[in-house]
Amino acid sequence: MKRLLVFLFIAVLALAGCVQTKTDVEGSKDSKGKGKKVIEVLGMAASEEDMNIVRDQLVKNGFDVKLNIQPDYGSYSAQKDAGNYDLALSSWTTVTGNPDYAVRGLFKTGGDYSIVSDSKLDALIEEASTLSGDEATAKYKELEQLLVFDQAYIAPLYISNKYQGIYSELVNPKTVHLPKSRAQVWESIEFNDSSKNATEPLILHQTIDSLTSLDPIKGNDGSINTLNTNMYVRLVNLTDTDEVVSNGSLSYDHAIAEGNQEYYFILRDDINFAAVKDGAAVDTGELVSAEDVVFSLNRAKNPKSVPDHRTYSLHENIETVEIVSDLAELQKKKIAGSDQSVLDALSQNLPASVTQLAKDKGTVNNASGAYQVVKITTPTPFPQVLNYLAHQSGGIVSEKQVTSINTYDVASYNPDKDIAYGDQATVTEGTATYNNHLYASGPYILVKKNDYEAQFVKNPAYRVGSEYEPKIAKINVRFIADIDSALSALRNGEIHVLQTVPETKLDIVKSDTKLTLNTADSNAVSYLQMNTSGRAVSDSVDLRKAILYSINQNEFISYYQGNKKPAVSTLSPLVNTGLKLEADSKKVKEYLKAYND
């Protein structure tokens, strides 16, 4: 989460002195006096090894290469926004476990992170999203063929595995999940000595200290994915292997009605919003209700609900969100592929039988049979909507609290004077706007933050007495940008879980008796994004294809000691299309000749 997105755009390396000579700009001369094509590659220091391999492969195939290794995300994203690159070294993790998420925001025209505008690609994304089984695989194969081989908008590098280090001398490794897609699950973690759960903080790790936003719809990156996932409950969750379930969510159960366009959720009444008062978490007494669900998902799908909305495209297939008031509707509707009624399907795991649908949150009482039910409708059959609801951007916020904070006009929003719900400055010590206004519906709430760490405490009104009540009372997320330093901190017990252990450091973790190594498959793919505006690569598919066939994935896999897998696109961990990229220097020469001619 990891997910959520860890989206790495890579910036142009300024060589020593940062002074460009005429040779730097035009490229060196080959033996015939013809200029070689100079390719600018954009990236961060954390990806230096990959950048060096890319450089060597391109140089071997007749290119000149300039690298600009930026120290942090802000620096290289500024270069990317300015268009100062030919290739951006990028990474994407499909944190929802469904193929539509692997392509929609990245490659659809107008997508949250898309720089591609191709109507044929748009049509394939939309069509594939409505299909399942072999039909979906065939359509995603067409999409991958167009994206990678016909237009070379990207050049794939590899699929990563997941490697997690646990300080098992203190933490019980059996309680630490390593999901394929979902962000780290905090509420299940326990110390070996359970008496420490209430008194000792669990120390986790994160590389990025600048948080995009603690409003779950305003960020979709590695700075907030895990934090918001654990601070806001959702209608559904993903298991460690990407199955959509209601376990650990706001709903007891969910059902898909016949036609695959209506989705029903029966809500539980044992979760209240938490707030922060005098540095501690308090129960507001306000139920996380169907009204809050309707408010949250309507703003999630509306691109104009907040300034700089980062996740609306994930929820654009939601047509309506409504509270069901007529019990007869649930009795008459059949679930997809069965004669069972929606009511029967929703009634399997309830504390009491449904006797009425509560007209509002004030009349909810599950123990006496009064429940709230939410219905989501999609314009076309789209079961993948459930995966998006499991994403952190599907987190349920308080309608009362968010509307009381977001009093500014969205169209004229000024970040220098307007305060938005979830602004990190409001929870950061020493800032002028430090006044924690967060309301958390999930198992934990952020109390305060500084440059060193973010401090969370358990929500005192979250699933109390159930298996999903948070086990550890305090969690501190330590900010350590350098992964080697983070690994050293793990070995010293200064942090207790390192969510991402580098492939080149696995033996260190395996040989340390104080540590346990967890491994799992991953939906993370690294690839080169071609600049689509203002560069030679933007205008020439031949040049892009020459770059594509310069990439030898076997060299990456070898460097990482076999701990990477071949990729074709961001779809590769999710859909086996049968396509494969193989380096081919002969094709490189042919495409370069076509480009130069």
Side-chain angles (χ1 to χ4, degrees), residues 230-457:
N230 286 284
M231 207 157 59
Y232 299 99
V233 73
R234 296 159 301 284
L235 285 177
V236 289
N237 275 320
L238 293 178
T239 66
D240 289 354
T241 55
D242 288 350
E243 178 187 0
V244 178
V245 295
S246 287
N247 300 343
S249 76
L250 183 59
S251 68
Y252 287 106
D253 214 336
H254 63 278
I256 305 175
E258 191 172 17
N260 292 322
Q261 290 180 250
E262 296 172 311
Y263 305 82
Y264 293 87
F265 307 84
I266 188 163
L267 306 189
R268 56 191 326 118
D269 67 352
D270 59 354
I271 303 175
N272 288 352
F273 286 103
V276 176
K277 184 177 181 181
D278 299 327
V282 296
D283 177 4
T284 64
E286 298 176 24
L287 179 69
V288 182
S289 67
E291 289 89 340
D292 297 303
V293 172
V294 172
F295 171 77
S296 299
L297 297 183
N298 276 330
R299 72 194 293 267
K301 75 186 184 74
N302 177 8
K304 297 181 179 180
S305 62
V306 291
D308 198 22
H309 196 325
R310 299 289 182 90
T311 61
Y312 65 87
S313 70
L314 305 187
H315 305 287
E316 63 186 2
N317 281 293
I318 294 177
E319 187 168 59
T320 59
V321 187
E322 56 191 306
I323 301 172
V324 180
S325 58
D326 184 3
L327 191 59
E329 177 180 342
L330 305 183
Q331 295 167 329
K332 293 176 183 177
K333 292 279 185 179
K334 303 297 183 183
I335 68 169
S338 172
D339 289 331
Q340 185 182 35
S341 72
V342 167
L343 179 60
D344 287 343
L346 294 178
S347 300
Q348 301 301 307
N349 301 297
L350 304 180
S353 299
V354 180
T355 58
Q356 63 176 304
L357 297 183
K359 61 182 180 181
D360 57 51
K361 61 183 176 182
T363 57
V364 173
N365 189 326
N366 292 175
S368 64
Y371 296 85
Q372 286 189 308
V373 171
V374 170
K375 179 174 72 172
I376 293 175
T377 305
T378 59
T380 59
F382 190 64
Q384 291 188 60
V385 70
L386 294 173
N387 295 77
Y388 288 132
L389 293 173
H391 186 257
Q392 56 93 12
S393 61
I396 308 306
V397 298
S398 164
E399 178 179 14
K400 172 185 173 182
Q401 184 67 357
V402 171
T403 54
S404 71
I405 300 298
N406 289 358
T407 57
Y408 54 83
D409 178 65
V410 174
S412 58
Y413 171 75
N414 182 347
D416 293 329
K417 66 180 184 67
D418 294 324
I419 297 175
Y421 177 82
D423 282 356
Q424 72 159 330
T426 62
V427 297
T428 302
E429 293 177 312
T431 57
T433 56
Y434 181 39
N435 181 24
N436 193 323
H437 60 222
L438 297 175
Y439 265 42
S441 60
Y444 287 90
I445 186 167
L446 176 58
V447 176
K448 61 182 177 180
K449 164 189 184 295
N450 52 39
D451 292 339
Y452 179 62
E453 66 183 8
Q455 298 178 9
F456 291 78
V457 297

Side-chain angles (χ1 to χ4, degrees), residues 153-219:
Y153 292 128
I154 67 170
L157 301 181
Y158 53 76
I159 301 170
S160 295
N161 295 318
K162 278 191 163 186
Y163 301 99
Q164 176 193 68
I166 302 168
Y167 191 70
S168 48
E169 189 166 90
L170 182 65
V171 174
N172 181 354
K174 295 181 180 179
T175 66
V176 184
H177 289 258
L178 184 57
K180 185 178 182 184
S181 298
R182 183 184 171 182
Q184 193 174 53
V185 182
W186 290 357
E187 65 263 33
S188 67
I189 303 176
E190 294 189 74
F191 292 117
N192 291 320
D193 180 355
S194 59
S195 67
K196 296 180 181 293
N197 290 345
T199 58
E200 298 295 320
L202 174 72
I203 313 298
L204 303 178
H205 163 258
Q206 182 167 299
T207 58
I208 305 173
D209 63 347
S210 179
L211 310 181
T212 304
S213 176
L214 298 162
D215 182 338
I217 65 173
K218 287 191 66 179

Side-chain angles (χ1 to χ4, degrees), residues 23 28 48 85 100 102 117 131 142 161 186 223 247 252 295 304 349 352 367 378 427 439 556 561 566 572 583 587:
T23 301
S28 60
E48 185 173 358
Y85 69 99
D100 188 68
S117 180
L131 303 175
E142 286 184 51
N161 295 318
W186 290 357
S223 75
N247 300 343
Y252 287 106
F295 171 77
K304 297 181 179 180
N349 301 297
T378 59
V427 297
Y439 265 42
F556 288 94
Q561 303 171 25
S572 295
K587 286 184 177 180

Side-chain angles (χ1 to χ4, degrees), residues 1-4 179 181-185 225-226 229-230 499:
M1 267 206 326
K2 179 171 187 48
R3 250 155 91 175
L4 353 189
S181 298
R182 183 184 171 182
Q184 193 174 53
V185 182
N225 180 257
T226 296
T229 295
N230 286 284
Q499 193 69 359

